[in-house]
C-alpha cells in the first residue's frame, strides 16, 4: 500500500485529498498542529482511516520526526496561512508559515529520502495569487509572477524553493499553481462561502444584509474536489513539473452574487448587499484566469464542476446547515 503524508489535513483541500487517497487504497497520515486542535474531530469523522501526527510547519526538527513516523512515498504540503487579507496584518507570520514552512518541509523530506532524493514525491500548494498584477491573460506556467500581498510573496518563495530543490537535489518535487477552488467545506472568511452562507441566512430570515468589499474583482473559481485529483495526478508522473490548475473561465463577485441569490429565488440582490472599505485590500488582484492546457495534455485532467453548479451546491449546503442550526 502506498503511504501519503498531508500537511494542512484540517483544511478544505486536506480533507478532500485524504478522502481521495483513502479511496485509492493509500495509508494516509495527516499532520495536525497545536495541542488539542479543535478540528481534530472533524478530520476523525470525515476520514477515520487517517492517522494524525502532531507537527507544525515552523518547527523543522518536529517535521523530521513527522516524516520518520509517516514513512511516506508521497508528501502533499497543503499547510499554510491561506487567507490573503489576513496576510497584511500578519505579514511576518505568513512569511514564516506559508513561505519558510515550505523550505522546512522540503528539507525534512530531503533528509528523510537520504541517498534516493526522488524516492519520495513532493507536492507544493502554489497559488494563482503569485500572478497578482497579471502580466498576461490567461495566466500559464510561464507567466511572469507579480505577487500583490504578503501571502502571494510567501507563495512565490515556496514555489521557487520547490523548483530549486528539484534542480539542486533531483527531488521529485512538483508545484501545482492552483486557481481559486471552493466547496461546502470552504472557510467562511473567503468570499464564495461568505456569500453562500449569507444568502442562505437571508433566505431563512436569519440575516438582513451582506457586507462586502470589492465587487469588481474577477476570479477563476473551480471545485476543490476536482483540484485535489490534479495534485495526485502530478505525483504519478515519471518527472516532476509545475502545472496550472484552473477552469479557464473568470467571473466577478457580482456574477457570484447573481448565481447565489438566484438559487434562493432572489433576482435583485442590491437591497441586501452593502460595500464597506473595511473589506477592501491594500493592493487588489483584479483579474485571474488560468490556462490549464498543460494539465489537460499531460495529466489528462479537466474540471468536472461548472461555476454555477458549484455556487448552487454551496448555497444548498448552507441552507441545510443553517436550517439545522435553528431547528
Ligand atoms: P485552508 O482551508 O486555509 O487550510 C490551511 C491548512 O493549513 C489548515 O489545515 C491549517 O491548520 C494548516 N496550517 C496553518 N498553519 C499551520 C502551521 N503553522 N503548521 C501546520 N499547518 C498549518 O486552505 P485550503 O483552501 O485547504 O488550501 C490548501 C493549500 O493550498 C494552502 O497552502 C493554500 O495556501 C493553497 N491554495 C489554496 C487555494 C484555494 O483556492 N483554496 C488556491 C491555491 C493555493 P489549522 O486547522 O490547524 O489552522
Ligand atoms: O477573495 C474579493 C477580494 O478571500 C476573492 C485563497 O484560497 O484563493 C484565495 O484567495 C476576491 C478578492 O480569495 C470580500 O477582494 C470582496 O478580490 O475569497 P477570497 P483570494 O484572495 O482570491 C487563492 C488562489 C489562494 O491561494 C488563497 O489561499 O473577493 N472580496 N469582498 C472579498 N473577499 C473576502 N474574503 N471577503 C469579502 O468580504
Amino acid at each position: 500500500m502506498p503511504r501519503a503524508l498531508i500537511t494542512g489535513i484540517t483544511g478544505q483541500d486536506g480533507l478532500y485529498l485524504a478522502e481521495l487517497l483513502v479511496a485509492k487504497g493509500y495509508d494516509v497520515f495527516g499532520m495536525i498542529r497545536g495541542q488539542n486542535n479543535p478540528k481534530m474531530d472533524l478530520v476523525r469523522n470525515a476520514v477515520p482511516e487517517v492517522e494524525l501526527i502532531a507537527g507544525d510547519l515552523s518547527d523543522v526538527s518536529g517535521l523530521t520526526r513527522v516524516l520518520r513516523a509517516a514513512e511516506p512515498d508521497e508528501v502533499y504540503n497543503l499547510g499554510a496561512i491561506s487567507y490573503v487579507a489576513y496576510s497584511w496584518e500578519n505579514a511576518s507570520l505568513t512569511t514564516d508559515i506559508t513561505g519558510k514552512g515550505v523550505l522546512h518541509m522540503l528539507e525534512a523530506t530531503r533528509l528523510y529520502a537520504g541517498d534516493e532524493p526522488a524516492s519520495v514525491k513532493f507536492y507544493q500548494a502554489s497559488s494563482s495569487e503569485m500572478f497578482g498584477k497579471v502580466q498576461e491573460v490567461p495566466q500559464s506556467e510561464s507567466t511572469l509572477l507579480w505577487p500583490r500581498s504578503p501571502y502571494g510573496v510567501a507563495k512565490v518563495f515556496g514555489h521557487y524553493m520547490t523548483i530549486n530543490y528539484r534542480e539542486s537535489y533531483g527531488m521529485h518535487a512538483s508545484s501545482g499553481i492552483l486557481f481559486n477552488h471552493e466547496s461546502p467545506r470552504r472557510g467562511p472568511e473567503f468570499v464564495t462561502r461568505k456569500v453562500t452562507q449569507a444568502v442562505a441566512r437571508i433566505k431563512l430570515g436569519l440575516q438582513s444584509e451582506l457586507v462586502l468589499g470589492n465587487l469588481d474583482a474577477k476570479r477563476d473559481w473551480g471545485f476543490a474536489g476536482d483540484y485535489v485529483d490534479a495534485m495526485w495526478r502530478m505525483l504519478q508522473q515519471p518527472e516532476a513539473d509545475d502545472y496550472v490548475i484552473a477552469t479557464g473561465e473568470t467571473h466577478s463577485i457580482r456574477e457570484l452574487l447573481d448565481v447565489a441569490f438566484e438559487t434562493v429565488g432572489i433576482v435583485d440582490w442590491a437591497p441586501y448587499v452593502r460595500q464597506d472599505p473595511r473589506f477592501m485590500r491594500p493592493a487588489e488582484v483584479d483579474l485571474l484566469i488560468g490556462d490549464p492546457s498543460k494539465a489537460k495534455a499531460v495529466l489528462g485532467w479537466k474540471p468536472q464542476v461548472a461555476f454555477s453548479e458549484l455556487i448552487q451546491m454551496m448555497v444548498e449546503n448552507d441552507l441545510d446547515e443553517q436550517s439545522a442550526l435553528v431547528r
Side-chain angles (χ1 to χ4, degrees):
M1 250 190 202
R3 297 162 72 93
L5 170 65
I6 303 173
T7 71
I9 188 82
T10 57
Q12 168 187 258
D13 293 6
L15 279 184
Y16 280 113
L17 179 64
E19 285 171 346
L20 179 86
L21 297 179
V22 166
K24 287 185 184 295
Y26 279 66
D27 274 341
V28 180
F29 298 80
M31 190 178 87
I32 189 153
R33 74 185 173 119
Q35 190 179 327
N36 196 17
N37 189 310
K39 293 197 192 145
M40 194 180 280
D41 287 344
L42 175 79
V43 181
R44 289 216 167 113
N45 288 333
V47 268
E49 302 85 350
V50 171
E51 191 172 316
L52 295 175
I53 307 174
D56 193 298
L57 287 168
S58 63
D59 176 6
V60 76
S61 61
L63 295 177
T64 310
R65 174 187 49 76
V66 172
L67 263 293
R68 280 203 306 265
E71 296 183 358
D73 304 296
E74 297 174 9
V75 173
Y76 295 86
N77 186 35
L78 310 187
I81 289 177
S82 77
Y83 184 33
V84 174
Y86 176 92
S87 78
W88 275 281
E89 289 153 19
N90 300 278
S92 180
L93 182 63
T94 304
T95 304
D96 285 348
I97 304 305
T98 303
K100 206 168 165 201
V102 183
L103 171 61
H104 290 168
M105 271 313 280
L106 283 163
E107 188 58 13
T109 305
R110 182 179 79 84
L111 293 175
Y112 168 71
D115 294 342
E116 293 179 77
S119 62
V120 183
K121 295 176 179 166
F122 187 95
Y123 173 83
Q124 168 54 22
S126 287
S127 164
S128 53
E129 278 296 298
M130 302 190 305
F131 296 121
K133 187 175 175 184
V134 298
Q135 299 298 299
E136 199 177 15
V137 178
Q139 297 85 51
S140 73
E141 293 79 5
S142 58
T143 302
L144 182 72
L145 305 179
W146 195 304
R148 294 269 282 173
S149 63
Y151 170 83
V153 173
K155 281 288 179 190
V156 171
F157 173 85
H159 180 68
Y160 281 123
M161 201 49 92
T162 303
I163 294 170
N164 186 258
Y165 266 59
R166 182 166 79 216
E167 294 179 353
S168 304
Y169 302 113
M171 277 177 69
H172 191 294
S174 294
S175 183
I177 308 173
L178 271 55
F179 282 61
N180 299 53
H181 46 280
E182 319 293 314
S183 74
R185 286 175 173 159
R186 187 59 141 153
E189 65 274 35
F190 299 97
V191 75
T192 52
R193 189 75 196 285
K194 183 173 171 181
V195 166
T196 62
Q197 251 185 10
V199 165
R201 290 175 59 79
I202 288 168
K203 177 68 181 173
L204 296 169
L206 302 171
Q207 186 172 329
S208 55
E209 71 169 2
L210 165 58
V211 186
L212 293 171
N214 178 11
L215 303 186
D216 298 313
K218 290 181 148 189
R219 290 289 182 277
D220 180 331
W221 279 296
F223 172 53
D226 291 343
Y227 285 43
V228 297
D229 175 56
M231 298 175 188
W232 175 78
R233 286 173 188 248
M234 283 177 220
L235 297 206
Q236 310 319 306
Q237 299 306 306
E239 301 294 331
D241 206 342
D242 308 318
Y243 298 90
V244 159
I245 302 298
T247 68
E249 267 183 39
T250 194
H251 299 276
S252 66
I253 313 295
R254 290 178 197 279
E255 290 171 80
L256 162 66
L257 289 164
D258 288 343
V259 178
F261 275 97
E262 269 165 22
T263 306
V264 298
I266 298 172
V267 177
D268 179 14
W269 45 259
Y272 301 99
V273 176
R274 181 165 64 82
Q275 279 184 280
D276 189 323
R278 200 157 49 99
F279 294 107
M280 305 283 188
R281 297 179 177 181
E284 180 61 284
V285 172
D286 295 319
L287 165 71
L288 289 174
I289 176 165
D291 172 5
S293 30
K294 180 176 172 186
K296 280 185 186 160
V298 181
L299 305 177
W301 177 88
K302 63 174 194 239
Q304 306 292 330
V305 179
F307 170 68
S308 54
E309 209 183 328
L310 168 66
I311 302 307
Q312 284 157 8
M313 175 209 304
M314 292 173 69
V315 172
E316 300 296 347
N317 169 79
D318 281 320
L319 281 168
D320 290 347
E321 267 190 29
Q322 294 297 323
S323 316
L325 285 177
V326 289
R327 235 179 263 138

